Amino acid sequence: MYIFRQLPLLLLCFFIPFSAAAPLHRGAPASRWFSATATWYGSPDGDGSDGGACGYGSMVDVKPYRARVGAVSPILFKGGEGCGACYKVRCLDRSICARRAVTVIITDECPGGYCSGGRTHFDLSGAAFGRLAVSGERNQLRNRGVIPVTYRRTACKYPGKNIAFKVNEGSADHWLSLLVEFEDGDGDLGSMHIKQAGSSEWLEMSHVWGATWCKNGGPLKGPFSVKVTTLATAKTLSARDVIPANWSPKATYTSRLNFFV
């Protein structure tokens, strides 16, 4: 489990604007397989993270995230912009590993050990790591510790789910913080905007950390429409009046839309 000391969200929103982040790299998720290494953490058949650096909290312990989560090295975490991206990971040792790949969702960052030094590394939940093995060899594979793997981006799929926005604790009429959930397709976000009631202007939000974005100013008046743009392919989706006028902190509001693939 990786535990990160987080500054108060309000300070982060002021001092880490999205425009200060590294330039976005456009283009479709890669279909090529690339080399990496992998380990596992948590209990042998467990879900891995209890929360994680992306900010999904207890959602990682339930479906559709459950047992499919993974922490990645900084090269894939991208300062939090890689949160929500989905990857297929495949073990290379045919003496013990199955030919199938497992699909994992990035919910956490692993900053040290095998994840340091610019390496590309996946630290998978015990359950996801075990699924790389042939039948009956899961424990043997776990006992090997670090293994060579290949990986590639893949479309995220959340059947029956639409994009949802959780209003983070502490949000008020001069500061709105949103966590994005269940984004089909690319899975990651490159930018996010909100539009207030009675306005035609889209206001750009700042990337705080992980899958969390915020907007300072105001007073901000709902209902709010939300526009999200993916990082990988710059696809855009707008959810009209998805957050009602009587919104409340810690509530989650689900849109009627998604990037269906």
Side-chain angles (χ1 to χ4, degrees):
M1 181 189 304
Y2 301 100
I3 301 175
F4 292 83
R5 187 184 303 275
Q6 295 171 346
L7 293 173
L9 287 179
L10 183 58
L11 293 179
L12 283 168
C13 197
F14 273 116
F15 291 111
I16 309 181
F18 179 75
S19 58
L24 302 183
H25 297 285
R26 304 300 185 187
S31 58
R32 287 179 52 199
W33 292 89
F34 298 91
S35 298
T37 51
T39 48
W40 63 279
Y41 67 117
S43 60
D45 291 302
D47 302 330
S49 293
D50 182 10
C54 289
Y56 296 123
S58 60
M59 286 175 53
V60 301
D61 298 321
V62 296
K63 291 183 178 180
Y65 292 95
R66 185 179 183 183
R68 300 174 62 201
V69 306
V72 289
S73 54
I75 196 170
L76 294 181
F77 191 70
K78 304 174 186 176
E81 292 176 1
C83 288
C86 296
Y87 291 88
K88 286 189 178 294
V89 179
R90 185 170 60 191
C91 177
L92 293 177
D93 188 346
R94 293 291 176 252
S95 68
I96 195 172
C97 295
R99 293 184 178 274
R100 67 178 177 273
V102 298
T103 299
V104 295
I105 306 163
I106 303 310
T107 64
D108 205 351
E109 179 182 29
C110 55
Y114 291 109
C115 295
S116 62
R119 299 182 183 93
T120 303
H121 186 82
F122 290 82
D123 205 15
L124 306 178
S125 68
F129 193 89
R131 287 173 187 164
L132 293 170
V134 296
S135 179
E137 298 294 337
R138 293 187 176 189
N139 287 334
Q140 284 290 98
L141 183 62
R142 294 191 191 99
N143 288 340
R144 293 194 177 185
V146 61
I147 61 172
V149 297
T150 57
Y151 72 98
R152 67 174 175 85
R153 282 289 297 272
T154 189
C156 297
K157 297 180 181 179
Y158 300 108
K161 297 282 188 180
N162 287 330
I163 293 179
F165 304 94
K166 179 182 178 181
V167 180
N168 288 313
E169 186 175 5
S171 291
D173 60 354
H174 282 75
W175 180 76
L176 179 66
S177 175
L178 302 177
L179 173 76
V180 186
E181 305 170 350
F182 308 128
E183 183 198 334
D184 264 347
D186 293 347
D188 53 20
L189 287 179
S191 66
M192 188 162 161
H193 297 73
I194 60 169
K195 185 165 62 175
Q196 301 184 75
S199 174
S200 60
E201 180 185 6
W202 287 105
L203 304 174
E204 184 173 10
M205 303 189 79
S206 299
H207 183 215
V208 181
W209 96 95
T212 298
W213 300 71
C214 69
K215 178 62 183 176
N216 293 307
L220 301 169
K221 183 179 180 182
F224 300 106
S225 299
V226 182
K227 180 170 65 175
V228 295
T229 303
T230 69
L231 177 66
T233 60
K235 294 179 181 176
T236 296
L237 178 150
S238 300
R240 182 178 178 182
D241 296 341
V242 64
I243 299 175
N246 61 341
W247 61 271
S248 61
K250 299 194 289 187
T252 298
Y253 301 100
T254 302
S255 74
R256 299 179 180 180
L257 306 169
N258 212 327
F259 294 101
F260 295 113
V261 293

